[in-house]
Amino acid sequence: MPSNPIDVYITNLVSIYGMSYEDAKAMAASLFSIDIDKPIHEQFIDYFSNLLQGNLGESYLSTGTPVIDMIGAFLPWTLFSVSLSLLTSFTLGIALGIISAYKRGSLIDNILTGLASVLRAVPNYLLGLLILVFLGVQWNIWPVQYMRGAYSSGITPGFNLPFIVDVFKHVLAPFLTYVLSTFGTWMLAMKASTISVLGEDYVTVAKAKGLEERRITFSYVGRNAMLPLFTTLAISLGFIFGGSTLIESVFIYRGVGLLLWRSINGRDYPVMQGVFLIITISVVVSNFLADLLYSLIDPRVRRR
Amino acid sequence: MELLNKFLIKPLKIIYQNKVGFIGFLIVIFYVLMAVIGPLFIPLDKSPKPELMYQPPTWEHPLGTDYEGRDILSQIVHGSRDVLYVAFLAGFLTVLIATLLGSFSGFKGGKWDFLIMAVADILLTIPQFPLLSVLAAVMRLDYTFLAVLISVLSWPTLARAIRSQVLSLKERDFIEAARALDLGTRHIIFTEMMPNLMPYIAINFIFAMTGAIYTQVGLVFLGFVPFVSHNWGVMINIAWTKGAIFYKQSIYYILSPIMAIVGFQLGAILFSRSLEEIFNPRLREE
């Protein structure tokens, strides 16, 4: 393990730019807004109070840019692409799960279950590579330039139609990757859960009462079978957020994952630290949201 | 002889009966053989032959050649060792840590249970892949260390499952009977509880293995782990950076390692169904 990043940075400044040790140290200290001469626990307290004021230090690579601004520029893209994909794959998985539970043993169930199992076995970034190489390069189905970046370079970002269309064209490839690699998990879980709910007494009662089939499927079976999936939703969100580093590097999509990749390759420690913190916070917040959602959907866990 | 029957012949029979699981079993065996004895039969020729660049598959080069005209098949064979080594080591360690901590936590309860589960909860909220990426940036990771790190981060899920199983098993009649007969803690854990935990452990060994492959190949693909040997992640990385998106004919170079990984993941997951049946007699169709 090398010595701490600040020491490395100082040594670099001294050896490459020929700065005196004191100047280099002052520069490093101003970058991190931390006094390096203080004992380590006081430095940590300083870091934490800076953090609470939204100050995550400044980037090494693009000197002078506050880390918080970089995260502010990159995070929306991750939130946009990940939430859009997760929402779609969750809905799709639930619908397909109900279908294959109702028609279990049929051809369509076998095809769907087989497909879901195969897709689940493929690591998502490899699926992304396959999508790019086949759809983009080999078969020319989707132009490669829409699989690089989050929007075209010549276009002005803002609330105008060409930009919005362009954004959606660029999100398509990562979106497809996320959806294809996650819907199988939802589908198989929903299928298992639906099959167990179908055996419940209240479903038999509902049928005996002569309720409409549609109403039984959606209000009785579907609603109850979905519950266990919400607990998995939080865990899965964390995994997708974590994996965004890989997907965003494949498609050079301008999200926090790409920012993390760049900062690691450039040894940009303040950015690395900031992005990692933001990803962790996102996971914790989404865990919390999933809990809230759960109580919204299942009245039994609500507090009276 | 009886041991042989119990630990080899009977499980093999069970595997053979489940078609899907049997295919998975064959795939896993194939990969293990490729990693262990493959390099003895297929030599690795590293000298560049520019005139053979990006050749499509032929008898001489069954998977084609790479950007310097070298045989891809031999690279796949020689690259399998590292990938499988990390997968098996990480899988084994994850299951070991999870079983020990999970059963201890469930069995002891109280302060220890609280402490272990608190650590598990904290580890569960930390996104694993970004953490490993950052760690790879500040320290030099070799493959053994990487496997250890992966297992230190991945045990919580299984440990919680085992803990809750142990908690529920503790209250069952047959455990109470064993206690009343004064059979001792060791007997209760290993003879009475273990068989009930084995299906979880076996399945999670497979999941830990596929998870370790995801993480390891991902880190190598992004270039965060130094290229010490020629494994599949390195191949994907090189194929990618050498322009898989510019040269149509480079398709076999990037496709081969991808398919090698997908094949193993798929085989392992199919095999997990058989494992479930071996360890859980209630699932078997007799």
Side-chain angles (χ1 to χ4, degrees), chain B residues 31-186:
Chain B
Y31 273 88
V32 171
L33 286 180
M34 173 161 85
V36 177
I37 57 170
L40 302 177
F41 293 101
I42 300 175
L44 184 65
D45 183 8
K46 278 189 162 175
S47 58
K49 299 172 201 63
E51 70 279 6
L52 290 174
M53 193 173 116
Y54 290 139
Q55 295 259 310
T58 53
W59 277 114
E60 213 174 327
H61 304 291
L63 294 175
T65 57
D66 71 357
Y67 64 102
E68 278 184 327
R70 297 170 300 192
D71 182 45
I72 293 175
L73 179 69
S74 60
Q75 293 181 35
I76 292 281
V77 171
H78 283 258
S80 56
R81 268 191 191 174
D82 282 337
V83 178
L84 294 198
Y85 171 70
V86 173
F88 278 108
L89 186 62
F92 174 73
L93 289 177
T94 306
V95 163
L96 187 72
I97 301 174
T99 312
L100 287 179
L101 290 180
S103 53
F104 182 75
S105 193
F107 218 79
K108 277 269 176 188
K111 223 186 282 170
W112 284 106
D113 179 35
F114 180 78
L115 190 72
I116 293 174
M117 283 304 118
V119 174
D121 283 342
I122 293 172
L123 283 180
L124 276 175
T125 46
I126 301 177
Q128 204 188 92
F129 192 79
L131 178 61
L132 282 170
S133 316
V134 172
L135 285 180
V138 291
M139 55 176 100
R140 208 185 144 81
L141 299 179
D142 63 10
Y143 288 117
T144 307
F145 190 35
L146 183 63
V148 172
L149 274 181
I150 291 176
S151 24
V152 166
L153 293 174
S154 353
W155 59 269
T157 329
L158 176 61
R160 300 191 102 208
I162 286 183
R163 172 182 172 268
S164 56
Q165 271 295 311
V166 169
L167 282 180
S168 106
L169 283 171
K170 250 171 42 176
E171 308 300 323
R172 302 272 177 87
D173 291 343
F174 66 94
I175 299 288
E176 219 164 292
R179 276 228 190 93
L181 289 171
D182 202 15
L183 289 174
T185 315
R186 192 187 293 170

Side-chain angles (χ1 to χ4, degrees), chain B residues 204-277:
Chain B
N204 274 279
F205 173 68
I206 298 282
F207 287 160
M209 246 172 39
T210 53
I213 290 189
Y214 175 93
T215 311
Q216 170 209 9
V217 174
L219 286 173
V220 178
F221 166 61
L222 292 184
F224 294 160
V225 177
F227 295 174
V228 285
S229 68
H230 216 83
N231 73 56
W232 300 337
V234 177
M235 288 177 75
I236 298 175
N237 178 295
I238 295 176
W240 184 244
T241 46
K242 290 282 173 192
I245 50 168
F246 306 117
Y247 304 116
K248 263 194 173 184
Q249 65 275 37
S250 72
I251 183 77
Y252 299 103
Y253 188 39
I254 193 157
L255 206 57
S256 303
I258 291 182
M259 284 307 154
I261 291 164
V262 171
F264 180 76
Q265 305 279 77
L266 206 59
I269 287 175
L270 294 181
F271 180 46
S272 72
R273 295 198 192 175
S274 281
L275 276 182
E276 215 173 3
E277 286 187 358

Side-chain angles (χ1 to χ4, degrees), chain A residues 10-292:
Chain A
I10 295 173
T11 331
N12 273 346
L13 286 182
V14 172
S15 61
I16 299 173
Y17 298 103
M19 273 187 187
S20 72
Y21 185 75
E22 273 66 38
D23 286 352
K25 200 166 153 188
M27 191 165 167
S30 78
L31 266 183
F32 285 95
S33 346
I34 281 178
D35 185 356
I36 318 168
D37 291 328
K38 282 187 186 172
I40 198 85
H41 65 274
E42 280 181 37
Q43 287 187 31
F44 185 72
I45 294 172
D46 284 351
Y47 165 74
F48 219 81
S49 68
N50 281 333
L51 188 70
L52 289 176
Q53 296 161 35
N55 181 357
L56 291 172
E58 286 170 9
S59 162
Y60 281 180
L61 289 178
S62 24
T63 320
T65 321
V67 173
I68 193 82
D69 288 357
M70 296 175 84
I71 289 172
F74 283 76
L75 186 63
W77 294 103
T78 303
L79 289 179
F80 166 66
S81 58
V82 165
S83 53
L84 185 71
S85 320
L86 195 66
L87 212 63
T88 314
S89 83
F90 193 68
T91 325
L92 189 73
I94 282 178
L96 294 178
I98 293 184
I99 292 176
S100 61
Y102 265 83
K103 313 214 157 171
R104 56 185 177 281
S106 71
L107 182 68
I108 185 150
D109 169 38
N110 285 332
I111 292 176
L112 283 176
T113 308
L115 192 70
S117 315
V118 171
L119 283 174
R120 229 162 47 131
V122 186
N124 54 10
Y125 52 93
L126 296 185
L127 197 66
L129 285 180
L130 289 176
I131 286 175
L132 202 151
V133 168
F134 278 104
L135 298 187
V137 182
Q138 300 291 325
W139 301 334
N140 288 322
I141 291 175
W142 189 239
V144 176
Q145 76 259 26
Y146 289 138
M147 299 188 181
R148 323 293 289 153
Y151 51 86
S152 306
S153 52
I155 219 155
T156 36
F159 198 71
N160 53 53
L161 193 62
F163 178 67
I164 293 169
V165 171
D166 195 63
V167 163
F168 275 98
K169 277 181 178 169
H170 277 86
V171 85
L172 189 70
F175 169 78
L176 203 62
T177 311
Y178 286 128
V179 170
L180 284 180
S181 57
T182 49
F183 93 93
T185 317
W186 304 123
M187 199 202 104
L188 295 178
M190 188 63 187
K191 184 184 161 189
S193 172
T194 307
I195 288 175
S196 76
V197 168
L198 278 174
E200 295 277 351
D201 289 341
Y202 58 78
V203 177
T204 322
V205 171
K207 274 185 195 149
K209 279 201 295 192
L211 282 183
E212 242 181 297
E213 192 62 37
R214 269 174 66 107
R215 183 140 174 236
I216 298 177
T217 310
F218 291 109
S219 317
Y220 284 71
V221 179
R223 200 168 161 192
N224 282 296
M226 255 165 74
L227 290 176
L229 271 74
F230 278 94
T231 23
T232 342
L233 190 66
I235 299 170
S236 149
L237 251 173
F239 183 75
I240 296 181
F241 251 105
S244 69
T245 319
L246 286 155
I247 306 287
E248 287 172 3
S249 310
V250 169
F251 295 111
I252 325 187
Y253 198 79
R254 278 179 55 96
V256 279
L258 186 71
L259 188 61
L260 183 66
W261 181 64
R262 279 190 192 159
S263 62
I264 289 174
N265 277 337
R267 294 290 183 273
D268 198 342
Y269 292 101
V271 178
M272 227 191 272
Q273 199 175 333
V275 173
F276 182 66
L277 188 73
I278 286 298
I279 293 181
T280 313
I281 290 175
S282 312
V283 172
V284 174
V285 168
S286 51
N287 269 315
F288 177 66
L289 286 180
D291 275 352
L292 283 186

